[in-house]
Amino acid sequence: MPDWICIRLKFTFVAVFLLFGSTIGTQTRYSISEEQKNGTAVGNIARDLGIEHKALKERGFRIMSASGESLFKVNMDDGGLYVNGNIDREEVCETTSICLINLKIALENPLEIHYVTVEILDINDHAPNFSQKTKHLEIGESALPGARFQLQAARDPDSGSNSIQRYKLSDNDHFRLEVKDRDEDGKIPILVLQKPLDRELATIVKLLITAVDGGKPPKSGTIEIIIDVLDINDNVPVFTKDDYTVRLDENLPIGTTVIQLNATDSDEGSNGEIVYSIGHNVNNKLRELFEINAITGEIIVKGLLDFEVKDKYEIDIQASDKGLVPMTTDRSVTIKIVDLNDNAPEIEVTSFSSTIPENSRSGTTVALISVSDLDSGMNGKVFCSILEDIPFKLIPSSHDSVYSLVTMSSLDRETTHRYDITLLAKDAGDPHLSSVKTITVHVSDVNDNSPEFYLPPYTFYVLENTVPGTSLFSVPASDRDSDENAVINYQILRDNTEENKYTSFININSENGEIYALKSFDFETVKAFQFKVAAVDSGNPPLSSNVTVNVYILDQNDNVPVILYPVSANGSDEGVEEIPRNVNAGHLVTKVRAYDADIGYNGWLLFSMQEVSDHTLFGLDRYTGQIRTLRSFTETDEAQHKLVILVKDNGNVSLSATATVIIKVVDTVKEEEENNVTFYLIITLGSVSVLFVISIIVLIVMQCSKSTDYSSKYLQDTNYDGTLCHSIQYRSGDKRYMLVGPRMSIGSTIVPGSNGNTLVVPDRRRGTSGEVRKCHVMSSYSQSLSVRLQSAGLM
């Protein structure tokens, strides 16, 4: 491969700065000749940085910013850096001898920034060129040997060895050529007179000057110098100073006087009048910035002076008299531009993650921030900060003017889902200049919130007899997360426990938590039940929460009153009552009994007479259902009366039932016969009771006469005072008993007046165990007899 196409890696140095997952550094330098074809390879960045080229696409391999960003491109398939279009070094780096293009190469996951510098090498593609092909000079024949005449230098846009290296002068008898090297202005040719001119011998002298560069092969350019030999003018203008230096602030208004030069000429008349001009060697760009007043010698600002473009100018000024053969003197004026703080800092976001998860750890890099200022010194020193009080901070890197924007604490999307971060860049100039830039960071959601029910626990009241499929109520929940993490699925927790048996009556809409009835509820069967609903989000992993739902069934008037009495033998609501004719007013004939399975007003029953044969004879209590006589019977009253009783509840829509009561009025003869039967029954029961009591007494006497020392055996006590102990303890099976009664003599075996007529007898099987067996006097018969006698009116 030819040397001019040679692409070589100059040097690589690595300065790795790890900052919470980001890498800043790894600066690489390449060089390439100008005028390369589009697509020419510059170097393989991925290989030189040790990056696997297969991962370049995934990591977003790209050029972030550069001074010549459009001149190069990267290939994400092989990691190479290639020429993008034509590169003309003289166009890209017009004023600098070394042409460097700075690139920033970025990769994501993890975030890395690499700095690549490409040096554009010059080739000899330009020949030296004079701005004029012919130059006329007027030199008097009186000019002495050693007189110097500065000429306009040739221009060659190439740099280094390819620029102008020397000048050649054609052979002649009067002049030799000297070259003055003036830094940025290059080499300036100067004619030096060696032998006086003689106008009588030659009125015109022609010379040829050739400028030659250092290329291989060299290129050249020529200018013809035509010298008119003039008559004598023996004094040259003289400047007051040998050199002039001026310090000038940048951005001065056009028309500002830079300096006023002063030159004098000892000649008289027109030979002593001075005219000022800018030297022939001053380039056109300099002429656009400055001009000189030909009469006064004032150098005036003509264009905008910018320290950041150029900080120093050197201008050649000529002072010439007006003689027939003008005499000229050159002086150099150096103008140094003083930097002012006239450039605000610039903020560049070189790499930016606009969305970060809310569970990002503290110190996660969000963006890389580059700040710059075209000013110099303190005016170009920039500080960057964040204006808001937010959980982000800027950390300066080891690389100048580069900051990492990182999280300072944990984030919560549910509290703040977006941050507008205002970056402030401020320089150290006086006065300060600043600029701001706002970037927006969105916080993406992670599933860190469980669904929440609004009113746990829920309590609902549902009417019984609901139609299956009816929507009963809703148990909504919310999730503070977003998107899929906030999509809630509802389900009823079912198990086989007794308390959850009623969950088969209901179902739930899994999307909105709406509860539907699968069966109809009956208040008389179930009045309340409880179940649990689970809300599960769609995150990964899913989060859930439960809520208890209490359901109370509300009663409806759906039960007809039921007649309990009267009920006839065939099951109909009809009964027959007989009453003596001689009863008085207020006599209770009967009572209609009924009940209603409903509760509250729905189960509150009222009684009324729907049909009655004689309204003056019977009355009905509307609350109790008691039927009573309103007056005494007379001989003219009917012997049989029919009453139809209406029983109804107090529901909004009343339900009712009817009962029929047939009342028969009987004479008193039948009552006397019944009284006789009752009397005979009392006599029979009394006789049987007397015989039973006598039998019990005989049995007690026989049992107690078998042993006389049991009493002392069971009643003996250390504190015995000669009478029967007030209390006796005994056991029956696994229970212990204590009998408390009045004291009696030691020989007594029956405790008179004691409840149950308890008899204390010895227990032969237990010997001296201290326990006694009790014999209960069977008194149930006598008690039942007493009840019957009382009911018969005999006691």
Side-chain angles (χ1 to χ4, degrees), residues 656-706:
S656 63
T658 59
T660 302
V661 179
I662 305 299
I663 301 176
K664 295 182 178 180
V665 181
V666 298
D667 296 328
T668 56
V669 176
K670 186 175 181 180
E671 181 180 355
E672 291 176 359
E673 291 178 354
E674 290 180 354
N675 291 337
N676 291 335
V677 174
T678 302
F679 175 74
Y680 296 140
L681 179 59
I682 293 173
I683 293 174
T684 303
L685 291 176
S687 301
V688 173
S689 299
V690 171
L691 292 175
F692 177 74
V693 172
I694 293 174
S695 299
I696 293 300
I697 293 174
V698 172
L699 178 60
I700 292 173
V701 172
M702 291 176 62
Q703 290 293 329
C704 294
S705 63
K706 293 180 180 180

Side-chain angles (χ1 to χ4, degrees), residues 458-473:
Y458 285 100
T459 299
F460 297 101
Y461 297 88
V462 178
L463 290 172
E464 63 174 335
N465 303 322
T466 52
V467 178
T470 302
S471 175
L472 302 178
F473 48 82

Side-chain angles (χ1 to χ4, degrees), residues 19 34 58 77 95 148 169 183 201 205 218 256 263 274-275 303 354 416 449 465 467 477 649 666 745 774:
L19 180 63
E34 64 174 331
E58 297 178 1
D77 293 326
T95 61
R148 301 166 65 86
L169 179 64
D183 298 333
L201 296 178
V205 178
T256 301
I274 305 298
V275 176
S354 61
T416 305
N449 289 280
N465 303 322
V467 178
D649 57 31
V666 298
S745 63
K774 69 173 182 175

Side-chain angles (χ1 to χ4, degrees), residues 46-238:
R47 182 186 64 238
D48 296 335
L49 297 179
I51 302 171
E52 179 62 37
H53 67 86
K54 295 180 180 179
L56 296 179
K57 287 186 178 181
E58 297 178 1
R59 298 188 62 186
F61 182 62
R62 65 193 185 279
I63 296 177
M64 290 299 300
S65 64
S67 57
E69 185 173 354
S70 62
L71 300 178
F72 301 95
K73 60 185 176 181
V74 292
N75 189 320
M76 289 193 287
D77 293 326
D78 59 9
L81 181 66
Y82 295 90
V83 173
N84 184 28
N86 181 60
I87 299 179
D88 185 356
R89 180 199 169 281
E90 287 71 35
E91 181 180 346
V92 176
C93 305
E94 182 179 359
T95 61
T96 58
S97 59
I98 299 178
C99 184
L100 300 177
I101 306 298
N102 297 312
L103 307 174
K104 289 181 183 179
I105 307 297
L107 296 99
E108 304 284 349
N109 303 318
L111 180 62
E112 296 182 9
I113 296 294
H114 300 281
Y115 294 88
V116 175
T117 300
V118 181
E119 180 181 4
I120 308 300
L121 302 178
D122 184 48
I123 63 174
N124 193 23
D125 57 341
H126 295 87
N129 180 50
F130 289 93
S131 61
Q132 297 175 323
K133 295 299 181 182
T134 302
K135 175 67 177 176
H136 288 270
L137 292 179
E138 293 179 343
I139 300 177
E141 60 181 340
S142 62
L144 299 176
R148 301 166 65 86
F149 303 94
Q150 181 174 309
L151 303 177
Q152 182 178 4
R155 296 295 176 187
D156 190 335
D158 296 325
S159 64
S161 62
N162 294 325
S163 63
I164 297 174
Q165 298 298 315
R166 59 192 176 91
Y167 289 91
K168 294 188 300 181
L169 179 64
S170 60
D171 293 336
N172 67 92
D173 296 331
H174 297 279
F175 294 94
R176 65 182 175 86
L177 188 65
E178 289 185 0
V179 177
K180 180 181 179 180
D181 195 349
R182 183 180 285 175
D183 298 333
E184 295 180 359
D185 292 332
K187 292 177 170 59
I188 299 174
I190 299 175
L191 281 178
V192 179
L193 183 64
Q194 294 185 115
K195 182 181 177 181
L197 298 173
D198 188 349
R199 191 174 186 278
E200 286 70 26
L201 296 178
T203 60
I204 296 177
V205 178
K206 292 185 178 180
L207 302 173
L208 185 67
I209 296 178
T210 303
V212 183
D213 64 22
K216 296 180 181 180
K219 294 184 177 182
S220 62
T222 60
I223 184 173
E224 184 181 25
I225 306 297
I226 300 176
I227 301 173
D228 294 326
V229 180
L230 303 178
D231 200 5
I232 188 167
N233 179 15
D234 58 350
N235 288 294
V236 299
V238 178

